[in-house]
C-alpha cells in the first residue's frame, strides 16, 4: 500500500490564484480529513469527510472547498489564495470499522502565498 | 470546547537518558482517545502511542510509555534510553467521536525534543 499520498510537495502561489491540493489513499478508509499546520499552532482541522459524497467543515474552513466523489480521493481547493493561507497542509485518513484506529497522515504540502 | 496543552515548547535530553513530555487536556467527555505523534524534520506525522480513556492501564510501546491520569486530565509521554533518532516535534492529541461517524481530533502546539550525543 502507498498509504496516504499528497501532491504537490511544495507550491508557491500569488495572491488571488486558485489551486487544488490532491490527496489519495489506497487503504479503503471511509474517513478523510485536511489539516493545516502553522508555526506554534499545532494542527487544525479544515474539512473532513465520513464517506463518498459526505463532507463537513472543521475548525478553520474559510477559503477552502472540498469534495469527495470517490472513497480514495479528497481534494482541497483554495478558491482565491491569500497570504494567510501560507502553511503546511496535511491530509489524513482513518478506518472507521473500530473506534481504536488512528489517523494516517500524508507527507504534507508546503504552500506559500506571496 | 476541548483543548490540549503542552506546556514545554522545547526539551532536551542526553542520549541514553530518560525524558518526560507533558500534556494536559480539557474535556467533559468520558469516552475518548489520546495520542502522541512524532514529527521529524521530514514532516511526516508518525503515531507513537495511543491510550483509550476507559483503560486504567498505561500504554507502552517499546521505549515509549505514558502516564495517564484521567481525573487530573494528564497524559505525559516518557521516552526511555533516548536515541538520536528520537529528536523531533512531539504532538499530544485528543480525540472523541461525534454523531454520524465524524470525530474531533485536537492537537497541542507541540514540544520540540533535542537529543544530545
Amino acid at each position: 500500500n502507498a498509504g496516504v499520498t499528497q501532491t504537490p510537495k511544495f507550491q508557491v502561489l500569488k495572491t488571488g490564484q486558485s489551486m487544488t491540493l490532491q490527496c489519495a489513499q489506497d487503504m479503503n478508509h471511509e474517513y478523510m480529513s485536511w489539516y493545516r499546520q502553522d508555526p506554534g499552532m499545532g494542527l487544525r482541522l479544515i474539512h473532513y469527510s465520513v464517506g463518498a459524497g459526505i463532507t463537513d467543515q472543521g475548525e478553520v474552513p474559510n477559503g477552502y472547498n472540498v469534495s469527495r466523489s470517490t472513497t480514495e480521493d479528497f481534494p482541497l481547493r483554495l478558491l482565491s489564495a491569500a497570504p494567510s493561507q501560507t502553511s503546511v497542509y496535511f491530509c489524513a485518513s482513518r478506518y472507521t470499522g473500530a473506534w481504536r484506529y488512528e489517523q494516517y497522515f500524508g507527507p504534507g504540502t508546503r504552500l506559500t502565498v506571496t | 470546547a476541548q483543548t490540549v496543552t503542552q506546556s514545554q515548547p522545547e526539551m532536551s535530553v542526553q542520549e541514553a537518558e530518560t525524558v518526560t513530555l507533558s500534556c494536559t487536556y480539557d474535556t467533559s467527555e468520558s469516552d475518548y482517545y489520546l495520542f502522541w505523534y512524532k514529527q521529524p524534520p521530514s514532516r511526516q506525522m508518525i503515531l507513537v502511542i495511543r491510550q483509550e480513556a476507559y483503560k486504567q492501564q498505561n500504554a507502552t510501546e517499546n521505549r515509549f510509555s505514558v502516564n495517564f491520569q484521567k481525573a487530573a486530565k494528564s497524559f505525559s509521554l516518557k521516552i526511555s534510553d533516548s536515541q538520536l533518532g528520537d529528536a523531533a516535534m512531539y504532538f499530544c492529541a485528543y480525540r472523541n467521536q461525534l454523531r454520524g461517524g465524524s470525530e474531533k481530533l485536537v492537537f497541542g502546539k507541540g514540544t520540540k525534543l533535542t537529543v544530545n550525543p
Side-chain angles (χ1 to χ4, degrees):
Chain A
N1 287 349
V4 180
T5 58
Q6 292 183 236
T7 56
K9 285 188 168 51
F10 301 92
Q11 183 69 49
V12 179
L13 289 179
K14 291 186 177 352
T15 297
Q17 287 184 317
S18 63
M19 79 158 295
T20 299
L21 306 185
Q22 301 292 343
C23 174
Q25 52 89 13
D26 60 358
M27 298 173 282
N28 204 31
H29 287 173
E30 298 90 342
Y31 186 89
M32 295 186 74
S33 54
W34 277 102
Y35 295 86
R36 61 178 288 172
Q37 183 180 26
D38 301 302
M41 293 292 291
L43 279 75
R44 292 181 294 168
L45 181 65
I46 304 172
H47 285 286
Y48 66 92
S49 168
V50 298
I54 306 170
T55 64
D56 207 344
Q57 296 180 351
E59 182 184 359
V60 287
N62 292 341
Y64 307 95
N65 269 0
V66 291
S67 59
R68 185 95 179 269
S69 56
T70 67
T71 299
E72 294 78 18
D73 300 297
F74 191 43
L76 178 72
R77 296 183 188 83
L78 279 70
L79 308 172
S80 177
S84 61
Q85 293 179 305
T86 293
S87 188
V88 179
Y89 291 84
F90 287 96
C91 179
S93 72
R94 185 171 80 82
Y95 174 59
T96 55
W99 177 218
R100 65 182 180 88
Y101 289 103
E102 76 277 13
Q103 293 199 32
Y104 289 84
F105 286 83
T109 295
R110 181 177 292 278
L111 175 68
T112 302
V113 183
T114 61
Chain B
Q2 291 87 354
T3 58
V4 176
T5 301
Q6 293 178 249
S7 59
Q8 306 151 317
E10 296 188 27
M11 291 282 286
S12 63
V13 63
Q14 291 296 125
E15 196 175 3
E17 297 292 307
T18 295
V19 64
T20 299
L21 308 184
S22 301
C23 173
T24 59
Y25 58 95
D26 185 24
T27 184
S28 58
E29 303 290 333
S30 59
D31 187 18
Y32 51 87
Y33 272 74
L34 296 163
F35 302 88
W36 278 98
Y37 279 91
K38 171 185 177 181
Q39 186 180 43
S42 66
R43 282 203 318 248
Q44 183 70 50
M45 294 288 286
I46 303 164
L47 178 69
V48 175
I49 200 165
R50 90 186 87 202
Q51 174 77 45
E52 297 93 329
Y54 66 87
K55 286 189 177 180
Q56 292 186 335
Q57 186 175 7
N58 289 325
T60 62
E61 287 287 344
N62 301 314
R63 296 182 296 107
F64 298 88
S65 61
V66 299
N67 183 5
F68 174 48
Q69 302 288 330
K70 190 173 184 179
K73 296 178 183 174
S74 171
F75 182 59
S76 60
L77 175 70
K78 185 171 82 171
I79 306 174
S80 304
D81 186 24
S82 296
Q83 300 176 358
L84 294 177
D86 294 335
M89 283 290 289
Y90 285 81
F91 292 94
C92 178
Y94 161 98
R95 186 185 82 192
N96 73 304
Q97 194 165 24
L98 306 175
R99 288 185 297 176
S102 65
E103 63 186 44
K104 189 177 180 70
L105 183 61
V106 180
F107 285 85
K109 294 184 178 181
T111 296
K112 181 178 180 181
L113 178 66
T114 301
V115 180
N116 300 310

